[in-house]
Amino acid sequence: MTSAARSAPVVPTATYRLQLQPGFPFAAAADAVPYLASLGVSHLHLSPVLEAVPGSSHGYDVTDHARVREELGGEEGLRALAATAREHGLGLVVDIVPNHMAMAPRHNHALWEVLREGPGSPYARWFDVDWEAGGGQLLVPVLGGPVGEVLGDLRVDGDVLRYHDHMFPLRAGTEGLPLPELLDAQWYRPVWWRLARTELNYRRFFSISELIGVRVEDPEVFDATHGTILRLLREGVIDGLRIDHPDGLADPDGYLARLHEASGGRWTVVEKILAAEERLPDSWPVAGTTGYDALRRIDGLFTDPAGAAELVELYRAFAAPQTDRGGDWAATERRAAYGVLPHELAAELDRLTRAAVRACAASPDPALRDRAPWALRTALEELLVRMEVYRPYASGDAADVVTAEAAAEARGAFTVPEEAGAVDVVRGLLLGRDPHPAAVELRTRFAQTSSALRAKAVEDTAFYRYVPLPAANEVGGDPGLLGVTPEDFHAYCARVQRDRPLTGTVLSTHDTKRSADVRAALAVLTECPGRWAELLDQVTHTEERVPDGQTAWAAWQTVFGLGPADPERVRDALLKHVREAGMYTSWTEQEPPYEEAVAAFLAEGPCGAPGERVAALRESLEPHIRANVLGAALVHLTMPGVPDVYQGTEGEYRALVDPDNRRPVAFPPAAPGPKDAVTAAALRLRRRRPDAFGAKAGHRPLPAEGPTAAHLLAFTRSEETITAVTRLSLRLAEAGGWADTRLPLPPGTWADTLAPEREFTGTVAAADLFARLPVALLERVG
């Protein structure tokens, strides 16, 4: 069968993520299609394709849902890419952004009309604006200083107000007014950017004021913002969807139900971050998540829990942080939430408080009266910081996440016991089903604020403060639970195959703080924490300019994970690290002396001569790093679910936090290595035997026998393929190797997909199975 005769399956067997940007448009993606088809994936997974802010390197700042992005080649370019993909048997999955748009009026026509016509605009229903809180004006935080100091930089140009590169429409009839009066007469209020923290009156993406929330719960807004994507689905240009940040929506349940119906039930995954044992709501009509829950468990397989615990103690001794500032995970997480909520999310907390006041006033229950706004605010704050999942959902029981235990703790924040009753009032409103608009608004705002707080406090703050093993600090990760047992991993796989067999799985994405290969290297340190401590003792000297212990520890691990130090990349990643941590500098309150000290430390230490010792340690551990890299890759590609391969990660790929991980990659890679071979073998096997990995497939653990059996993880998919990988290979070497450890195979003859001349039957010695590589992928033959 020729490649042109093949047609892409409706449901992916594996996807390949491409980061589109002006420097890598649709035409460049089309050029890569022959290589990607030969790799074995079934679909290209494209980053957002709709019109975005000019020059955007990611596309999540959408400006026009009706048009495919011209900088990428427009709809014609997308159709050409789809046609080329079809010729090679591939389909397209597209990332869509329902939660927000760019707060860029000059590019966002809908927003421009709202600023020009105010709440009477037909587009006003698109955006989540609290007009009353802004005195009838939408706050636009773009000025470089208080308006009185920058008034001279504002100028009227016809019916447009200009401020440097910013443009705003003028309300009809106001063009001739003196500038101060003209500003007061608009439906918007340009203000100093710092006022966004406390005065903002529109919903945004987390704390990013440049992204304004969209009300897709409104059917008219849904139709307008999804029309083009749904048309492309109907016309066969695209096959499936990835949904960005559904947790920000007012009603994720309703949105996903509407999308499922409108798309005809196309394969769809959601970017949903699940806590340790949290489940995706059963009622959601989606294939599953984008796969961070799988990432956490795969990484955990290659982490030694005992060594990780020792590493934590060494970190505490080295960095000597206070318990709630990086020395203990739970305390650090809680402190970060307390810091973020009244600071970065102050405007959101204020709006939520106003909603609580209105809900109490509207309730017929006298028990809700006479509650001071400050008490309601405190109750909300105390309940929010105790949320252990991102948010409650209409399809679930809010009492499961806004728990009685959390309420009991929250009451302790009040010095006057009688005032603590505000906690029960707020919790009652959150758990209730009162249909009054004020109560509905409170429940909605609480859920949206909760998801923003969880993201900002955990992912963007605490993950940068508590760093004994940075590899564990990934989206959806839990640094307080290091390591996953094979039994727990197999139980997870069984649940996935039973409940969501077509869910997405990932190891690296455009959002991971370190690529899978960097994390695989760092995981080896849990097998030799003593050697790591000894190295730090050698390279760290008290007379050196070390900014602080936590940053120093993170920096040394960064250069170990990345390999031969690239000073510029390390510096950029560490600068982002210290600003996100927010302990000595931040994005909005930068401390140049501290940041300069960090840069000097990096140049003289991790990126200087002492870094050569780190490189030497890494080189000595290279076989064990390779075992982790290949093992994680093979498990990811053959476990239940639909694997997503991030661009470039089919081969060796070492990247740090964005934008480092969004750099263009070469197709095909210049020098393929063992990981390329393992990836291609697994993907091609999935394509040859789709039923062995699909919705009705099986997953069964294959236990090894012998003295080092714990280091061999194996499973069969539908009794047709076998995955076998080496775990904790350094510990295995210290134990003397495989000795007479064996793996009993299911009946039949099994061929090595990487070396088909090698066949096995019965029971195979681990030493023979892993004679060529620390992993093996077998296929039933004959």
Side-chain angles (χ1 to χ4, degrees):
M1 179 183 297
T2 65
S3 61
R6 294 199 305 263
S7 61
V10 175
V11 174
T13 60
T15 61
Y16 191 99
R17 169 78 177 203
L18 292 172
Q19 287 297 113
L20 301 169
Q21 51 185 294
F24 188 83
F26 296 133
D31 290 341
V33 163
Y35 161 70
L36 296 176
S38 71
L39 193 61
V41 299
S42 67
H43 286 71
L44 306 184
H45 171 193
L46 306 180
S47 58
V49 302
L50 298 182
E51 199 62 72
V53 171
S56 173
S57 62
H58 51 80
Y60 290 96
D61 43 1
V62 177
T63 58
D64 188 346
H65 295 90
R67 294 189 301 134
V68 177
R69 190 174 177 186
E70 288 298 330
E71 286 182 302
L72 302 181
E75 185 166 330
E76 182 180 350
L78 176 60
R79 288 181 176 275
L81 170 59
T84 301
R86 296 286 176 192
E87 290 173 1
H88 290 79
L90 303 183
L92 303 183
V93 171
V94 168
D95 198 340
I96 66 172
V97 191
N99 178 70
H100 51 266
M101 294 182 72
M103 183 64 180
R106 65 181 298 183
H107 304 298
N108 185 338
H109 172 72
L111 182 60
W112 180 274
E113 290 302 303
V114 172
L115 296 187
R116 187 168 66 89
E117 299 181 5
S121 167
Y123 291 100
R125 65 196 305 167
W126 280 44
F127 304 108
D128 205 345
V129 179
D130 187 346
W131 292 97
E132 182 180 347
Q137 291 180 306
L138 191 156
L139 199 81
V140 183
V142 297
L143 303 184
V147 66
E149 296 180 8
V150 300
L151 200 60
D153 295 326
L154 290 160
R155 62 187 179 88
V156 175
D157 183 3
D159 60 354
V160 171
L161 177 68
R162 295 181 179 273
Y163 175 73
H164 298 303
D165 292 336
H166 298 281
M167 294 172 54
F168 308 99
L170 292 178
R171 187 174 178 177
T174 65
E175 299 89 340
L177 295 174
L179 191 55
E181 295 178 30
L182 180 143
L183 294 178
D184 290 340
Q186 303 310 312
W187 290 112
Y188 55 91
R189 180 183 162 213
V191 299
W192 188 17
W193 65 268
R194 285 188 175 275
L195 269 64
R197 193 179 75 194
T198 56
E199 308 302 317
L200 205 69
N201 64 332
Y202 60 84
R203 184 173 63 84
R204 55 187 169 172
F205 173 65
F206 298 157
S207 61
I208 302 175
S209 302
E210 292 80 7
L211 297 172
I212 185 170
V214 177
R215 298 183 62 250
V216 293
E217 65 272 17
D218 184 310
E220 183 178 306
V221 178
F222 176 91
D223 292 341
T225 55
H226 288 69
T228 296
I229 288 294
L230 293 173
R231 174 174 58 80
L232 294 171
L233 276 171
R234 289 193 301 270
E235 295 174 1
V237 178
I238 59 179
D239 302 299
L241 302 172
R242 178 221 189 242
I243 312 301
D244 182 70
H245 188 50
D247 276 347
L249 303 178
D251 180 16
D253 302 73
Y255 167 77
L256 292 172
R258 182 176 291 118
L259 181 65
H260 179 74
E261 181 178 1
S263 71
R266 297 301 183 95
W267 184 81
T268 299
V269 291
V270 291
E271 186 202 22
K272 171 61 193 147
I273 311 304
L274 297 169
E277 297 304 321
E278 186 184 8
R279 303 284 191 271
L280 199 65
D282 293 336
S283 60
W284 285 13
V286 297
T289 72
T290 53
Y292 288 112
D293 41 322
L295 180 155
R296 178 176 71 243
R297 290 169 171 89
I298 298 168
D299 278 1
L301 276 176
F302 300 92
T303 301
D304 179 17
E310 186 177 345
L311 200 63
V312 169
E313 293 307 314
L314 291 168
Y315 160 74
R316 288 171 176 158
F318 179 89
Q322 295 174 331
T323 298
D324 60 351
R325 292 176 64 85
D328 175 80
W329 170 243
T332 300
E333 183 183 26
R334 179 67 58 82
R335 181 186 176 96
Y338 272 123
V340 165
L341 192 52
H343 190 76
E344 287 97 324
L345 299 179
E348 284 73 13
L349 182 58
D350 284 347
R351 188 169 183 180
L352 184 56
T353 302
R354 294 194 298 270
V357 171
R358 287 193 293 268
C360 287
S363 174
D365 184 356
L368 274 63
R369 306 294 170 81
D370 296 336
R371 301 294 175 179
W374 73 263
L376 295 174
R377 178 189 177 96
T378 301
L380 287 163
E381 186 174 5
E382 295 296 329
L383 289 172
L384 282 167
V385 299
R386 288 170 173 79
M387 290 286 289
E388 296 184 357
V389 297
Y390 267 61
R391 56 166 287 168
Y393 299 98
S395 56
D397 184 352
D400 291 338
V401 294
V402 187
T403 65
E405 293 77 11
E409 284 187 22
R411 285 192 290 271
F414 289 82
T415 55
V416 179
E418 291 80 4
E419 297 282 8
V423 172
D424 300 309
V425 167
V426 169
R427 183 168 183 263
L429 287 167
L430 295 175
L431 303 188
R433 300 284 180 175
D434 185 348
H436 191 281
V440 173
E441 182 190 13
L442 175 63
R443 294 195 294 270
T444 301
R445 301 286 174 219
F446 182 88
Q448 291 173 314
T449 305
S450 175
S451 69
L453 175 62
R454 187 79 181 168
K456 292 302 299 177
V458 179
E459 296 172 33
D460 293 345
T461 304
F463 276 5
Y464 290 94
R465 293 182 178 179
Y466 180 81
V467 291
L469 182 64
N473 298 12
E474 280 301 343
V475 181
D478 187 343
L481 299 172
L482 299 178
V484 171
T485 68
E487 293 76 19
D488 287 344
F489 173 76
H490 288 307
Y492 168 76
C493 288
R495 176 161 56 80
V496 168
Q497 188 62 51
R498 181 190 69 230
D499 299 339
R500 302 276 186 178
L502 300 177
T503 188
T505 63
V506 294
L507 272 183
S508 296
T509 76
H510 62 289
D511 279 332
T512 43
K513 292 174 171 56
R514 295 159 191 86
S515 66
D517 293 358
V518 173
R519 301 196 309 273
L522 292 173
V524 173
L525 297 181
T526 67
E527 301 178 65
C528 58
R531 290 176 66 178
W532 177 248
E534 182 180 352
L535 173 67
L536 287 189
D537 186 59
Q538 294 172 359
V539 298
T540 304
H541 304 286
T542 56
E543 68 273 12
E544 289 181 342
R545 292 181 292 175
V546 179
D548 60 272
Q550 289 152 297
T551 300
W553 179 282
W556 289 112
Q557 286 212 10
T558 296
V559 298
F560 177 87
L562 188 62
D566 184 327
E568 184 176 354
R569 293 171 65 196
V570 172
R571 185 186 66 244
D572 290 348
L574 264 293
L575 179 60
K576 181 167 184 173
H577 180 107
V578 296
R579 287 179 178 174
E580 295 282 22
M583 292 194 294
Y584 306 101
T585 186
S586 70
W587 294 105
T588 55
E589 283 83 36
Q590 295 174 16
E591 290 290 336
Y594 174 79
E595 294 183 2
E596 290 166 7
V598 170
F601 161 71
L602 291 173
E604 297 169 8
C607 296
E612 296 175 4
R613 295 191 180 185
V614 178
L617 175 63
R618 181 187 167 106
E619 185 177 357
S620 72
L621 296 172
E622 200 60 46
H624 310 294
I625 294 173
R626 184 177 71 151
N628 281 3
V629 167
L630 298 181
L634 186 56
V635 168
H636 169 226
L637 295 171
T638 56
M639 68 182 288
V642 176
D644 183 51
V645 179
Y646 187 63
Q647 60 180 25
T649 62
E650 67 272 22
E652 184 179 43
Y653 182 82
R654 303 178 194 174
L656 303 176
V657 69
D658 69 276
D660 188 67
N661 60 10
R662 300 180 186 182
R663 292 172 295 131
V665 298
F667 300 107
K675 188 183 178 189
D676 298 83
V678 168
T679 300
L683 291 172
R684 292 166 186 168
L685 180 59
R686 293 185 73 100
R687 185 169 62 193
R688 284 199 307 274
R689 295 179 179 257
D691 292 343
F693 297 93
K696 297 182 179 180
H699 172 95
R700 182 171 69 86
L702 294 179
E705 300 172 348
T708 53
H711 294 278
L712 198 165
L713 177 106
F715 55 83
T716 176
R717 299 303 312 277
S718 306
E719 308 299 318
E720 295 293 325
T721 71
I722 293 174
T723 295
V725 303
T726 305
R727 294 180 60 243
L728 310 182
S729 66
L730 178 57
R731 298 292 198 199
L732 171 65
E734 292 171 345
W738 288 115
D740 62 347
T741 296
R742 307 165 303 282
L743 180 66
L745 304 178
T749 301
W750 299 87
D752 184 341
T753 60
L754 289 163
E757 71 279 5
R758 297 205 321 151
E759 294 186 349
F760 305 96
T761 58
T763 297
V764 59
D768 292 338
L769 184 64
F770 299 126
R772 297 178 67 255
L773 291 171
V775 301
L777 178 60
L778 309 183
E779 178 181 13
R780 184 189 293 279
V781 295

